[in-house]
Protein backbone atom coordinates (compact mmCIF):
# COMPACT_ATOMS: atom_id res chain seq x y z
CA UNK A 1 0.00 0.00 0.00
CA UNK A 2 1.35 3.40 -1.00
CA UNK A 3 0.91 6.54 1.10
CA UNK A 4 0.01 9.76 -0.68
CA UNK A 5 0.20 13.34 0.60
CA UNK A 6 -1.15 16.40 -1.12
CA UNK A 7 -3.04 19.64 -0.66
CA UNK A 8 -6.59 18.97 -1.76
CA UNK A 9 -9.91 20.70 -2.30
CA UNK A 10 -13.11 18.93 -1.35
CA UNK A 11 -15.30 18.88 -4.46
CA UNK A 12 -18.21 16.85 -3.09
CA UNK A 13 -19.15 13.94 -0.83
CA UNK A 14 -21.59 11.06 -0.93
CA UNK A 15 -22.61 8.34 1.48
CA UNK A 16 -21.05 4.91 1.80
CA UNK A 17 -23.24 2.65 3.90
CA UNK A 18 -24.90 3.98 7.01
CA UNK A 19 -22.08 6.00 8.53
CA UNK A 20 -19.11 6.37 6.20
CA UNK A 21 -18.77 8.65 3.22
CA UNK A 22 -16.72 9.03 0.08
CA UNK A 23 -14.88 12.30 -0.37
CA UNK A 24 -14.08 13.49 -3.89
CA UNK A 25 -10.87 15.52 -3.72
CA UNK A 26 -9.12 17.63 -6.32
CA UNK A 27 -5.52 17.18 -5.23
CA UNK A 28 -2.61 19.34 -6.31
CA UNK A 29 -0.35 16.37 -7.08
CA UNK A 30 -2.57 13.48 -8.17
CA UNK A 31 -5.64 15.05 -9.74
CA UNK A 32 -9.11 13.93 -8.71
CA UNK A 33 -9.07 11.25 -6.01
CA UNK A 34 -11.92 9.46 -4.26
CA UNK A 35 -11.27 8.32 -0.71
CA UNK A 36 -13.31 6.74 2.07
CA UNK A 37 -13.74 8.68 5.31
CA UNK A 38 -14.59 6.30 8.15
CA UNK A 39 -16.61 7.53 11.08
CA UNK A 40 -14.35 7.94 14.11
CA UNK A 41 -15.50 7.05 17.62
CA UNK A 42 -13.10 9.54 19.13
CA UNK A 43 -14.54 13.04 19.50
CA UNK A 44 -11.04 14.47 19.12
CA UNK A 45 -10.69 12.89 15.72
CA UNK A 46 -14.00 13.99 14.30
CA UNK A 47 -13.30 15.73 11.00
CA UNK A 48 -16.73 15.61 9.42
CA UNK A 49 -16.89 19.41 9.34
CA UNK A 50 -13.71 19.41 7.21
CA UNK A 51 -15.39 17.53 4.38
CA UNK A 52 -17.40 20.38 2.96
CA UNK A 53 -17.11 21.53 -0.64
CA UNK A 54 -14.66 24.42 -1.19
CA UNK A 55 -12.55 23.41 1.84
CA UNK A 56 -8.78 23.28 1.27
CA UNK A 57 -7.05 20.53 3.25
CA UNK A 58 -3.73 18.75 3.45
CA UNK A 59 -4.75 15.12 3.02
CA UNK A 60 -2.88 11.88 3.60
CA UNK A 61 -4.49 8.82 2.04
CA UNK A 62 -3.36 5.35 1.11
CA UNK A 63 -4.12 2.55 -1.30
CA UNK A 64 -2.81 0.80 -4.39
CA UNK A 65 -2.22 2.89 -7.50
CA UNK A 66 -4.64 0.70 -9.44
CA UNK A 67 -7.49 1.28 -6.97
CA UNK A 68 -10.34 3.65 -7.76
CA UNK A 69 -11.08 4.18 -4.07
CA UNK A 70 -8.51 5.02 -1.39
CA UNK A 71 -8.62 5.34 2.39
CA UNK A 72 -8.08 8.59 4.25
CA UNK A 73 -5.33 8.43 6.84
CA UNK A 74 -5.60 12.01 8.14
CA UNK A 75 -6.49 15.53 7.08
CA UNK A 76 -5.40 18.97 8.31
CA UNK A 77 -7.26 22.17 7.60
CA UNK A 78 -5.48 24.73 5.43
CA UNK A 79 -8.24 27.13 4.44
CA UNK A 80 -11.99 26.75 5.13
CA UNK A 81 -13.07 29.76 3.03
CA UNK A 82 -15.58 30.78 5.69
CA UNK A 83 -16.55 34.08 3.96
CA UNK A 84 -17.98 31.99 1.14
CA UNK A 85 -20.20 30.06 3.55
CA UNK A 86 -21.43 33.18 5.31
CA UNK A 87 -22.68 34.90 2.15
CA UNK A 88 -25.36 33.05 0.17
CA UNK A 89 -24.41 34.63 -3.16
CA UNK A 90 -20.72 33.84 -2.74
CA UNK A 91 -21.49 30.31 -1.56
CA UNK A 92 -23.49 29.63 -4.73
CA UNK A 93 -20.64 30.95 -6.87
CA UNK A 94 -18.08 28.82 -5.03
CA UNK A 95 -20.17 25.66 -5.38
CA UNK A 96 -20.53 26.36 -9.08
CA UNK A 97 -16.73 26.63 -9.43
CA UNK A 98 -16.17 23.33 -7.62
CA UNK A 99 -18.77 21.50 -9.70
CA UNK A 100 -17.20 22.86 -12.89
CA UNK A 101 -13.85 21.41 -11.81
CA UNK A 102 -15.47 18.10 -10.89
CA UNK A 103 -17.14 17.85 -14.30
CA UNK A 104 -14.00 18.88 -16.19
CA UNK A 105 -11.56 16.40 -14.57
CA UNK A 106 -10.99 12.64 -14.60
CA UNK A 107 -9.86 10.48 -11.71
CA UNK A 108 -6.12 10.22 -11.10
CA UNK A 109 -5.05 12.58 -13.89
CA UNK A 110 -2.75 15.28 -12.41
CA UNK A 111 -4.03 18.76 -13.31
CA UNK A 112 -2.02 21.21 -11.17
CA UNK A 113 -3.09 24.12 -13.39
CA UNK A 114 -6.76 23.41 -12.62
CA UNK A 115 -6.02 23.07 -8.91
CA UNK A 116 -4.33 26.50 -9.07
CA UNK A 117 -7.31 27.90 -10.99
CA UNK A 118 -9.76 26.76 -8.31
CA UNK A 119 -7.59 28.11 -5.50
CA UNK A 120 -7.21 31.47 -7.21
CA UNK A 121 -10.90 31.61 -8.08
CA UNK A 122 -12.09 30.93 -4.53
CA UNK A 123 -9.58 33.38 -3.05
CA UNK A 124 -10.68 36.10 -5.47
CA UNK A 125 -14.31 35.32 -4.72
CA UNK A 126 -13.77 36.24 -1.05
CA UNK A 127 -12.56 39.70 -2.11
CA UNK A 128 -14.58 40.61 -5.18
CA UNK A 129 -17.48 43.02 -5.40
CA UNK A 130 -18.38 41.70 -8.87
CA UNK A 131 -18.90 37.92 -8.58
CA UNK A 132 -20.61 37.72 -11.99
CA UNK A 133 -17.55 39.13 -13.75
CA UNK A 134 -15.34 36.75 -11.80
CA UNK A 135 -17.45 33.74 -12.84
CA UNK A 136 -17.18 34.71 -16.51
CA UNK A 137 -13.40 34.98 -16.09
CA UNK A 138 -13.31 31.59 -14.36
CA UNK A 139 -15.34 29.96 -17.14
CA UNK A 140 -13.06 31.38 -19.84
CA UNK A 141 -9.90 30.30 -18.00
CA UNK A 142 -11.28 26.81 -17.49
CA UNK A 143 -12.23 26.45 -21.16
CA UNK A 144 -8.77 27.52 -22.28
CA UNK A 145 -7.00 25.20 -19.84
CA UNK A 146 -8.99 22.12 -20.87
CA UNK A 147 -8.55 22.84 -24.58
CA UNK A 148 -12.03 24.10 -25.41
CA UNK A 149 -11.42 27.78 -26.11
CA UNK A 150 -14.37 29.01 -28.17
CA UNK A 151 -13.45 29.76 -31.79
CA UNK A 152 -14.27 33.45 -32.22
CA UNK A 153 -12.10 34.65 -35.10
CA UNK A 154 -12.78 32.20 -37.93
CA UNK A 155 -15.49 29.74 -38.91
CA UNK A 156 -15.17 26.74 -36.63
CA UNK A 157 -16.16 24.45 -39.49
CA UNK A 158 -14.30 25.70 -42.59
CA UNK A 159 -11.70 27.92 -40.83
CA UNK A 160 -12.14 30.87 -43.19
CA UNK A 161 -12.13 34.42 -41.86
CA UNK A 162 -15.52 35.74 -40.87
CA UNK A 163 -17.24 38.82 -42.23
CA UNK A 164 -18.28 41.45 -39.69
CA UNK A 165 -21.94 40.56 -40.06
CA UNK A 166 -21.41 36.85 -39.30
CA UNK A 167 -22.01 36.42 -35.58
CA UNK A 168 -23.76 33.04 -35.37
CA UNK A 169 -22.31 30.94 -32.53
CA UNK A 170 -22.84 27.19 -32.47
CA UNK A 171 -22.43 25.67 -28.99
CA UNK A 172 -22.49 22.18 -30.51
CA UNK A 173 -19.55 22.97 -32.82
CA UNK A 174 -17.75 25.23 -30.36
CA UNK A 175 -17.55 28.58 -32.09
CA UNK A 176 -18.68 31.03 -34.73
CA UNK A 177 -20.01 29.62 -37.98
CA UNK A 178 -20.17 31.35 -41.35
CA UNK A 179 -23.37 31.48 -43.36
CA UNK A 180 -22.14 28.88 -45.84
CA UNK A 181 -21.55 26.36 -43.07
CA UNK A 182 -24.69 27.10 -41.10
CA UNK A 183 -26.75 23.96 -41.74
CA UNK A 184 -29.23 24.33 -38.88
CA UNK A 185 -30.08 27.80 -37.60
CA UNK A 186 -31.79 26.31 -34.55
CA UNK A 187 -28.41 25.06 -33.30
CA UNK A 188 -26.84 28.53 -33.27
CA UNK A 189 -27.35 31.76 -31.38
CA UNK A 190 -26.71 35.22 -32.78
CA UNK A 191 -24.24 37.20 -30.69
CA UNK A 192 -24.48 40.93 -30.25
CA UNK A 193 -21.38 43.00 -31.11
CA UNK A 194 -20.88 43.72 -27.38
CA UNK A 195 -20.93 40.04 -26.47
CA UNK A 196 -18.53 39.11 -29.24
CA UNK A 197 -16.16 41.94 -28.25
CA UNK A 198 -16.21 40.83 -24.61
CA UNK A 199 -15.46 37.19 -25.44
CA UNK A 200 -12.69 38.10 -27.86
CA UNK A 201 -11.10 40.39 -25.28
CA UNK A 202 -11.13 37.60 -22.71
CA UNK A 203 -9.60 35.06 -25.10
CA UNK A 204 -6.96 37.42 -26.53
CA UNK A 205 -5.79 38.51 -23.09
CA UNK A 206 -5.57 34.90 -21.95
CA UNK A 207 -8.31 35.82 -19.46
CA UNK A 208 -5.59 37.01 -17.09
CA UNK A 209 -7.67 39.98 -15.99
CA UNK A 210 -11.37 40.44 -15.53
CA UNK A 211 -12.89 42.11 -18.62
CA UNK A 212 -15.47 44.65 -17.58
CA UNK A 213 -18.98 43.39 -18.17
CA UNK A 214 -21.12 45.76 -20.25
CA UNK A 215 -23.62 47.98 -18.45
CA UNK A 216 -26.45 46.50 -20.51
CA UNK A 217 -28.15 43.74 -18.49
CA UNK A 218 -29.35 41.97 -21.64
CA UNK A 219 -25.81 41.78 -22.99
CA UNK A 220 -24.54 40.42 -19.65
CA UNK A 221 -27.23 37.74 -19.79
CA UNK A 222 -26.26 36.89 -23.37
CA UNK A 223 -22.59 36.49 -22.36
CA UNK A 224 -23.57 34.20 -19.51
CA UNK A 225 -25.91 32.18 -21.70
CA UNK A 226 -23.45 31.56 -24.54
CA UNK A 227 -20.66 30.55 -22.16
CA UNK A 228 -23.05 28.26 -20.31
CA UNK A 229 -24.22 26.62 -23.53
CA UNK A 230 -20.63 26.18 -24.71
CA UNK A 231 -19.58 24.65 -21.38
CA UNK A 232 -22.60 22.33 -21.28
CA UNK A 233 -21.85 21.09 -24.80
CA UNK A 234 -18.18 20.49 -23.98
CA UNK A 235 -18.76 18.84 -20.58
CA UNK A 236 -21.67 16.76 -21.81
CA UNK A 237 -24.09 17.55 -19.02
CA UNK A 238 -25.94 20.30 -17.21
CA UNK A 239 -24.55 21.34 -13.83
CA UNK A 240 -26.92 21.26 -10.88
CA UNK A 241 -25.20 24.27 -9.32
CA UNK A 242 -25.95 26.43 -12.35
CA UNK A 243 -29.67 26.45 -11.49
CA UNK A 244 -28.70 27.07 -7.85
CA UNK A 245 -26.90 30.24 -8.98
CA UNK A 246 -30.18 31.81 -10.01
CA UNK A 247 -32.28 31.14 -6.92
Amino acid sequence: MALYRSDAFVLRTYKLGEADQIIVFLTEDYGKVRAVARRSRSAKRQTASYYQPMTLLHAIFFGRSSQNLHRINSVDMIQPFRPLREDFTLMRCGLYMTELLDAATRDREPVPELFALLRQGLEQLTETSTPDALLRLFELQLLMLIGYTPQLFACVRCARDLADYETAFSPAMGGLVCRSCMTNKQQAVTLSPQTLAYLRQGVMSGAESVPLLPDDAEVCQEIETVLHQHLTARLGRELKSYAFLHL
Side-chain angles (χ1 to χ4, degrees):
M1 291 265 183
L3 197 65
Y4 304 92
R5 304 169 183 264
S6 182
D7 290 351
F9 278 104
V10 178
L11 296 180
R12 60 186 170 95
T13 67
Y14 52 98
K15 288 185 178 180
L16 178 66
E18 292 297 322
D20 302 329
Q21 57 183 334
I22 294 174
I23 316 299
V24 182
F25 292 111
L26 181 66
T27 71
E28 185 173 21
D29 300 308
Y30 308 105
K32 189 161 66 178
V33 174
R34 300 169 195 268
V36 178
R38 301 292 187 190
R39 184 177 65 174
S40 173
R41 295 181 180 179
S42 170
K44 293 181 180 180
R45 297 182 59 193
Q46 288 290 347
T47 56
S49 62
Y50 287 17
Y51 301 133
Q52 298 182 45
M54 302 182 290
T55 304
L56 179 59
L57 307 169
H58 183 74
I60 301 176
F61 52 96
F62 60 92
R64 296 185 177 88
S65 59
S66 59
Q67 287 181 312
N68 293 325
L69 199 58
H70 290 70
R71 292 280 300 276
I72 295 174
N73 179 274
S74 64
V75 293
D76 292 304
M77 179 71 72
I78 297 177
Q79 194 169 358
F81 290 97
R82 286 194 182 90
L84 303 185
R85 307 182 195 285
E86 296 168 355
D87 184 297
F88 187 56
T89 297
L90 297 183
M91 179 183 69
R92 289 181 295 177
C93 294
L95 291 175
Y96 176 63
M97 288 180 176
T98 57
E99 190 180 5
L100 273 175
L101 267 293
D102 191 15
T105 52
R106 298 180 180 180
D107 289 4
R108 298 307 296 257
E109 290 187 4
V111 283
E113 68 282 0
L114 294 183
F115 179 91
L117 174 65
L118 182 57
R119 186 169 193 168
Q120 179 187 51
L122 294 178
E123 288 175 348
Q124 291 176 335
L125 195 57
T126 65
E127 302 170 354
T128 188
S129 59
T130 56
D132 287 344
L134 184 58
L135 286 185
R136 303 294 82 80
L137 169 69
F138 188 87
E139 290 166 339
L140 279 170
Q141 287 179 315
L142 175 64
L143 285 165
M144 287 186 278
L145 286 172
I146 64 178
Y148 289 130
T149 305
Q151 173 56 268
L152 302 168
F153 300 95
C155 176
V156 71
R157 189 170 185 181
C158 70
R160 76 172 179 85
D161 292 339
L162 294 164
D164 292 340
Y165 59 81
E166 292 177 310
T167 58
F169 186 92
S170 171
M173 289 190 277
L176 294 176
V177 184
C178 69
R179 289 188 177 184
S180 300
C181 294
M182 181 55 62
T183 57
N184 188 339
K185 292 184 179 179
Q186 293 181 344
Q187 294 180 352
V189 293
T190 300
L191 303 185
S192 67
Q194 298 96 320
T195 293
L196 187 53
Y198 174 90
L199 294 175
R200 283 175 170 171
Q201 179 188 356
V203 170
M204 290 178 67
S205 66
E208 295 173 355
S209 60
V210 182
L212 294 176
L213 286 171
D215 294 331
D216 191 322
E218 290 186 5
V219 176
C220 291
Q221 183 59 57
E222 184 179 270
I223 292 169
E224 178 182 341
T225 298
V226 71
L227 282 173
H228 172 66
Q229 291 178 348
H230 183 63
L231 276 163
T232 301
R234 304 284 76 76
L235 299 177
R237 65 180 177 88
E238 180 68 84
L239 302 186
K240 296 179 180 179
S241 57
Y242 182 74
F244 187 50
L245 275 177
H246 299 89
L247 291 178

